[in-house]
Amino acid sequence: MNSLIVVVFLLVLLSVGYQVGLTRGRAVATTAQRTMHSRPNYHGLMVALWCAIPAVVVLLAWALFSNSLALGNAQSFLPPELVNGDPAALRETMRRVEQIASGFGVVGDAQPYEVAAGEALRSFRTTSFWAMMVAAALLGLLGLLLMARRIAPRLRARNEFEGAVRLLLIACSAVAILTTVGIVASLLSEAMRFFTLVSPIEFFFGTVWNPGFTTTGEAGGQYGLLPLLWGTIMVSAIAMAVAIPVGLLSAIYMAEYADPRVRAVAKPIIEILAGIPSVIYGVFALITLGPLLSDLGALFGLQIRATSALTAGIAMGLMIVPFVSSLSDDIITQVPRAMRDGSLGIGATKSETIRKVVLPAALPGIVGAFMLAISKAFGETMIVVLAAGNAPILRANPFDAISTVTVSIVNQLTGDTNFASPQALVAFALGLTLFVMTLILNVIALYVVRKYREQYE
Amino acid sequence: MANVDTASMTPRPTRGVESNQDRLVRIQKGLRRRRAAETRFRAYGAGAVLLAVGFVVFLFGSILMQGIPAFWQPAADLKVTFDPTLIKVDPKPVQQDGQSPAEFRRATLDWERAVTMVNWNRVIENAVREAAPNVEFTPKDVQAFVSPNQRFVLRDMFVRDPGLLGQTVDVELLLSANVDNWLKGNIERSLADDRQQLSPGVRSLADTLYADGTVRMIFSYVLFTNPDSRAAPAEAGLLGAFIGSLYMMLIVILLAVPIGVAAAIYLEEFAPKNKITDLIEVNINNLAAVPSIVFGLLGAAVFIGYFRLPLSAPLVGGLVLVLMTLPTIIIATRSALKAVSPSIRQAALGLGASKTQMVFHHVLPITYPGIMTATIIGVAQAIGETAPLLLIGMNAFVATLPATPLDQSTALPVQIFLWQGNENRNFFEPRTAAAIIILLAVMLILNAAAIYLRSRFERRQ
């Protein structure tokens, strides 16, 4: 409700500002002795902008600080021994106060001070909201007046407005930087907290993963990364063993051999695979592929568990096929025509040309594509959560259940708000490991692919 | 080029004298070998394509085979009598003169509570007894036969129309998940009694009524109209998850698309070529390849741990997905901007447009189809994402429909994840596949819409 009011208010402010600027600009234009620098609609946009900026600043400030102010105000109604006493009891009381303020009422009899605090909370919220609205409106009006007075033939309204637009564009680009900073900062800080509880040596070189449970409230448990890392590498290796031959060969076939009609049908079909959410591959691996592999293994006298590194790896490999094939396709088609013609001209067959001319020339790019695919496999979560069996044990048998870094992140941190126990914090240490691993792969791969592109451009 | 194996292409230097005949034979042999290698190589390629296409067919085939039966579920057409001897409640209160609205509301609520306390199970039991007079069963069997929350269907009917008291009406009641399994043959029918989930009474009820047409397979509308339910699996639906996904989709469209397009415009059109823009560029390419679960960790640490936003809220999920899809949208929009011919830029600048005018009035409109594609790619990626949502608590069981983006909710892919883990595998495996079909259908509709919009835009230009 309140947010709707705010949105409508801002829209009204903007349109009023624009109209005022526009009319004023037009009026100035008709009476001016000289031609205007900017057209009237830029005057309108400038006024609207100066209307909105102070109002938005006030609104943001209110959104950030009003709640803590309101709660602080409500707390002053509570008896001091409660406020300075047990934090849990205070939290519980404040929850009841919130409920009284929201008008739903509470279970059981409310203490008089609770009712008083609730009333205070409610009235503070209402008053502060309307006070904020009035302040925002007044400031917006002030901006409007100041800006409208500046309108004159010489005013470079268009340039000012375009400068503001450019600032906005820069701010949007900065979001991407901020995201990276946020990722690095949050992973690092939480991982550091974890490393104060568990030594990094124990984490990075430990061979046993057995984190125990949060409820025991102690750091007890073993946090060895190696079994998880091994699981990740094993599943990724199986996935690559599926994705690289299938992806690369189909890319070669599509790029060099396929009839255009076949290509027009088969290429989109294979690309469908890239658009399917990974949870679907996971369910498919768990329900269909796992039992199938297990039965197949039984035919050959092999013990294959339905949820195993093999099941997860094959499903993941199939998911990555279109990724490998479309990247390789791009790279193969970039190899200059002249190289092919030269090879064919001296009598090589098509496959000889591909194997001995095109592929060696495209090798750096293809290696880059494979590295991107490996990084994708490292970070894949849902397939391994569902189909790898979740057994964080260091073992080499791919037919057995394993666990990976991503699985353990999900297991350790599903909807936890209290990041204090090592059991939850270890998720960030795992995340940091995963981030660094994929980052290294990505940076090298992107560098290689870029260098490769430049070579033939 | 240096790697070219010249030996296989040029005749080997002849050792001694070789007759023309021998040479011909040798060359022909070599050619045969090389042609065979050619055919083999080509077959490998065709095989790889066939394997990939075959897998797509297999994947979709198995999902459809498993999922389609779950779109039908058994329901019984019963003649339900609203028996006054069982439904002993006062008449529905009406607003009296001098009664305040608050008092009236309280009276209505009290009355509704009394209606809820009515033994609706007995009402259903009587209706079942009437439909199957020759079958022996206990009251407990009826509760295992009809889906548990169906009594609220009768309650709601009565609350809406208290005049039903004493009347007999035709009502379609959904049957329980285990009856669904039994009738569809998903339970081994030959198992001994002590190993069956359903008692003999329920089984004979199901078989008798199915044979005489009282029980029919109806379209599972609950999939589309109900939120998740644990008490009554047969009535569990996807609406709650769908609304959660819809909120997140809106947040992605409202935030990621404008920010992404603006960032792409700046980087492509305005940014000076220097170290900083280079850094941003590398950074965006890297972000696109960061595993999605890392974004989940970011969301858990920043939005939930630091900003104290509520757990399981579509708002938080949406924000995480915004950050995740941003690089995709930026990269796709940049390539659309790159494709605009420089002559348009030069023409606009030459006629005196400022750089901002050139970009927003002339370049950007041409890229709308490209931006549309970028949006759809981003939204489709976001809507299918599961892992980061698990970390911000969206895997909680939520049996209500989220009214605002701040309420607890799940999302479609998360619901798939939750359903596949349900203990009643016989029932939930097909339901999971049905949910997958619905998710894929949503993505298909999105893509079809994108293609349609794109073709319209392109025609106009």
Side-chain angles (χ1 to χ4, degrees):
Chain A
M1 184 57 202
N2 278 1
S3 45
L4 199 68
I5 295 178
V6 168
V7 168
V8 170
F9 166 74
L10 278 179
L11 285 179
V12 168
L13 208 60
L14 276 174
S15 49
V16 167
Y18 180 74
Q19 274 307 321
V20 169
L22 189 68
T23 8
R24 178 112 178 92
R26 279 194 184 133
V28 172
T30 46
T31 55
Q33 304 298 315
R34 43 170 296 175
T35 48
M36 302 282 282
H37 172 272
S38 303
R39 301 186 52 190
N41 61 331
Y42 282 104
H43 292 123
L45 287 169
M46 264 326 275
V47 175
L49 200 66
W50 281 110
C51 255
I53 288 174
V56 168
V57 168
V58 172
L59 288 172
L60 277 182
W62 181 79
L64 284 178
F65 302 115
S66 77
N67 203 35
S68 51
L69 280 180
L71 290 179
N73 177 51
Q75 264 187 18
S76 64
F77 285 84
L78 301 179
E81 64 271 17
L82 188 66
V83 175
N84 301 323
D86 179 21
L90 179 64
R91 219 180 302 134
E92 174 59 20
T93 315
M94 285 312 289
R95 200 176 58 77
R96 287 167 64 84
V97 169
E98 287 262 11
Q99 283 177 345
I100 293 170
S102 69
F104 279 120
V106 286
V107 184
D109 293 326
Q111 303 286 335
Y113 61 78
E114 283 177 349
V115 177
E119 288 300 321
L121 187 60
R122 196 212 313 238
S123 66
F124 188 93
R125 275 190 181 147
T126 328
T127 347
S128 75
F129 175 72
W130 289 111
M132 177 273 308
M133 291 293 274
V134 171
L138 284 178
L139 276 178
L141 229 61
L142 189 71
L144 184 144
L145 286 179
L146 287 180
M147 192 58 218
R149 277 174 51 133
R150 283 181 60 207
I151 293 177
R154 279 171 168 283
L155 180 68
R156 301 167 78 86
R158 178 174 61 72
N159 300 43
E160 283 187 23
F161 179 73
E162 288 177 354
V165 167
R166 192 174 292 209
L167 276 181
L168 190 74
L169 294 181
I170 292 177
C172 288
S173 315
V175 172
I177 298 269
L178 278 181
T179 310
T180 311
V181 172
I183 287 176
V184 173
S186 62
L187 288 182
L188 266 182
S189 68
E190 304 286 339
M192 284 306 139
R193 275 172 69 197
F194 171 73
F195 288 133
T196 58
L197 298 168
V198 176
S199 93
I201 295 171
E202 198 188 310
F203 175 71
F204 285 113
F205 300 106
T207 54
V208 179
W209 175 263
N210 181 16
F213 297 100
T214 335
T215 41
T216 55
E218 43 190 298
Q222 290 161 292
Y223 302 89
L225 172 70
L226 290 181
L228 306 180
L229 204 58
W230 170 245
T232 297
I233 291 171
M234 186 154 70
V235 174
S236 307
I238 296 170
M240 286 303 114
V242 174
I244 288 180
V246 177
L248 186 58
L249 281 173
S250 61
I252 290 172
Y253 187 80
M254 295 287 193
E256 304 280 343
Y257 288 108
D259 188 289
R261 276 169 303 174
V262 175
R263 190 183 154 96
V265 176
K267 207 171 149 88
I269 290 183
I270 295 179
E271 267 158 21
I272 287 177
L273 286 176
I276 296 177
S278 66
V279 68
I280 295 179
Y281 284 97
V283 172
F284 170 78
L286 178 71
I287 296 180
T288 311
L289 191 64
L292 193 76
L293 287 175
S294 176
D295 292 348
L296 264 182
L299 272 184
F300 297 104
L302 282 173
Q303 275 272 327
I304 303 182
R305 275 183 51 116
T307 55
S308 64
L310 186 71
T311 312
I314 290 180
M316 197 189 282
L318 291 168
M319 184 184 78
I320 297 176
V321 162
F323 189 76
V324 172
S325 92
S326 70
L327 271 177
S328 313
D329 195 351
D330 274 2
I331 288 159
I332 289 170
T333 43
Q334 266 173 2
V335 174
R337 183 82 231 158
M339 289 176 75
R340 285 191 183 81
D341 291 348
S343 170
L344 292 171
I346 57 169
T349 63
K350 210 158 181 184
S351 67
E352 282 161 349
T353 305
I354 293 165
R355 273 181 300 173
K356 292 172 180 162
V357 177
V358 177
L359 284 186
L363 195 65
I366 289 177
V367 169
F370 289 170
M371 291 177 79
L372 284 179
I374 294 173
S375 126
K376 206 171 152 75
F378 278 177
E380 175 46 49
T381 310
M382 293 321 292
I383 294 177
V384 272
V385 164
L386 287 165
N390 189 22
I393 300 162
L394 205 53
R395 57 183 162 203
N397 184 0
F399 303 143
D400 240 324
I402 46 107
S403 183
T404 68
V405 175
T406 49
V407 172
S408 302
I409 293 177
V410 170
N411 286 345
Q412 297 307 115
L413 196 80
T414 36
D416 214 340
T417 42
N418 177 23
F419 308 136
S421 67
Q423 279 85 355
L425 285 174
V426 71
F428 291 94
L430 291 171
L432 187 65
T433 317
L434 182 67
F435 181 71
V436 171
M437 281 189 337
T438 51
L439 186 72
I440 293 173
L441 278 172
N442 294 341
V443 169
I444 299 175
L446 289 171
Y447 176 77
V448 169
V449 171
R450 198 155 142 184
K451 269 272 160 302
Y452 168 78
R453 287 227 170 94
E454 280 162 11
Q455 186 186 337
Y456 291 119
E457 252 163 21
Chain B
M1 292 294 291
N3 295 352
V4 175
D5 182 359
T6 44
S8 62
M9 293 177 206
T10 49
R12 285 178 201 125
T14 44
R15 264 172 264 108
V17 197
E18 190 184 39
S19 72
N20 279 350
Q21 190 61 37
D22 286 350
R23 216 153 131 194
L24 195 67
V25 168
R26 191 160 53 76
I27 290 174
Q28 276 176 341
K29 229 169 111 185
L31 269 180
R32 254 203 308 283
R33 187 175 48 79
R34 286 169 61 199
R35 289 212 178 105
E38 172 75 31
T39 321
R40 239 182 359 254
F41 189 73
R42 204 181 159 143
Y44 292 150
V49 173
L50 276 181
L51 193 72
V53 172
F55 174 68
V56 176
V57 174
F58 177 52
L59 179 70
F60 279 85
S62 75
I63 288 171
L64 287 176
M65 291 255 287
Q66 279 172 329
I68 284 178
F71 283 100
W72 282 268
Q73 67 183 105
D77 291 314
L78 296 175
K79 288 195 190 313
V80 175
T81 308
F82 288 84
D83 187 349
T85 56
L86 290 172
I87 306 171
K88 283 181 235 154
V89 289
D90 302 329
K92 189 175 185 175
V94 284
Q95 178 117 34
Q96 312 276 320
D97 285 342
Q99 192 181 29
S100 75
E103 280 168 333
F104 171 66
R105 200 166 151 256
R106 172 159 298 177
T108 313
L109 282 177
D110 284 343
W111 178 79
E112 281 180 9
R113 200 166 301 134
V115 174
T116 308
M117 299 306 286
V118 166
N119 192 350
W120 292 107
N121 286 336
R122 274 297 293 281
V123 177
I124 295 175
E125 190 192 325
N126 290 347
V128 174
R129 277 205 195 285
E130 193 175 324
N134 304 325
V135 184
E136 228 173 87
F137 58 89
T138 62
K140 227 177 141 193
D141 288 343
V142 179
Q143 286 172 38
F145 179 64
V146 176
S147 182
N149 284 356
Q150 291 297 301
R151 57 179 194 270
F152 300 125
V153 172
L154 295 185
R155 193 260 326 253
D156 290 346
M157 279 176 73
F158 186 74
V159 166
R160 248 180 281 122
D161 180 12
L164 287 173
L165 192 65
Q167 291 186 23
T168 300
V169 278
D170 286 322
V171 184
E172 185 183 80
L173 292 181
L174 295 176
L175 303 186
S176 71
N178 280 328
V179 173
D180 180 287
N181 290 337
W182 174 258
L183 287 177
K184 283 180 185 161
N186 290 340
I187 292 181
E188 190 59 59
R189 280 176 166 250
S190 57
L191 286 179
D193 270 1
D194 57 337
R195 294 183 57 199
Q196 285 285 2
Q197 272 167 313
L198 292 169
S199 65
V202 184
R203 279 179 282 152
S204 56
L205 257 183
D207 286 338
T208 319
L209 291 180
Y210 192 52
D212 74 12
T214 313
V215 169
R216 297 176 295 124
M217 289 290 173
I218 62 160
F219 183 72
S220 299
Y221 59 89
V222 287
L223 273 177
F224 303 94
T225 57
N226 284 13
D228 197 10
S229 168
R230 263 186 203 159
E235 292 162 66
L238 291 166
L239 188 61
F242 184 78
I243 294 177
S245 279
L246 201 67
Y247 281 137
M248 289 195 280
M249 209 166 90
L250 282 180
I251 292 170
V252 168
I253 292 176
L254 285 179
L255 286 179
V257 175
I259 295 179
V261 170
I265 290 174
Y266 178 73
L267 293 175
E268 198 57 42
E269 304 284 340
F270 290 101
K273 287 272 164 279
N274 60 23
K275 281 261 152 59
I276 296 173
T277 39
D278 242 25
L279 188 75
I280 298 182
E281 167 130 27
V282 171
N283 175 31
I284 287 172
N285 284 334
N286 268 320
L287 268 185
V290 165
S292 62
I293 192 164
V294 171
F295 286 95
L297 285 170
L298 172 74
V302 174
F303 296 133
I304 290 177
Y306 186 73
F307 287 116
R308 298 271 156 213
L309 289 171
L311 270 177
S312 315
L315 176 70
V316 182
L319 289 176
V320 169
L321 295 178
V322 164
L323 297 182
M324 201 190 77
T325 46
L326 210 49
T328 316
I329 294 178
I330 294 178
I331 291 172
T333 309
R334 283 190 73 173
S335 68
L337 286 169
K338 268 200 192 98
V340 175
S341 121
S343 62
I344 289 186
R345 296 191 177 87
Q346 286 154 4
L349 291 177
L351 287 173
S354 71
K355 203 161 180 189
T356 314
Q357 287 170 330
M358 176 268 278
V359 170
F360 284 92
H361 297 177
H362 302 281
V363 176
L364 202 57
I366 298 178
T367 60
Y368 283 159
I371 291 174
M372 199 90 75
T373 322
T375 308
I376 295 291
I377 294 171
V379 169
Q381 188 193 351
I383 211 175
E385 198 53 69
T386 321
L389 302 183
L390 297 181
L391 299 192
I392 54 161
M394 292 203 71
N395 55 343
F397 166 72
V398 182
T400 49
L401 299 179
T404 71
L406 282 167
D407 292 337
Q408 287 215 328
S409 165
T410 55
L412 276 177
V414 182
Q415 192 68 63
I416 290 171
F417 175 65
L418 292 175
W419 275 4
Q420 65 74 32
N422 193 291
E423 314 81 68
N424 191 346
R425 297 204 76 86
N426 285 332
F427 183 71
F428 271 100
E429 256 176 31
R431 280 266 155 141
T432 308
I436 288 177
I437 294 175
I438 292 172
L439 175 62
L440 287 176
V442 170
M443 299 181 79
L444 195 73
I445 291 169
L446 271 177
N447 280 304
I451 292 167
Y452 172 73
L453 287 173
R454 215 164 86 163
S455 69
R456 279 198 51 175
F457 265 105
E458 273 166 354
R459 215 177 307 138
R460 218 165 56 197
Q461 269 150 15

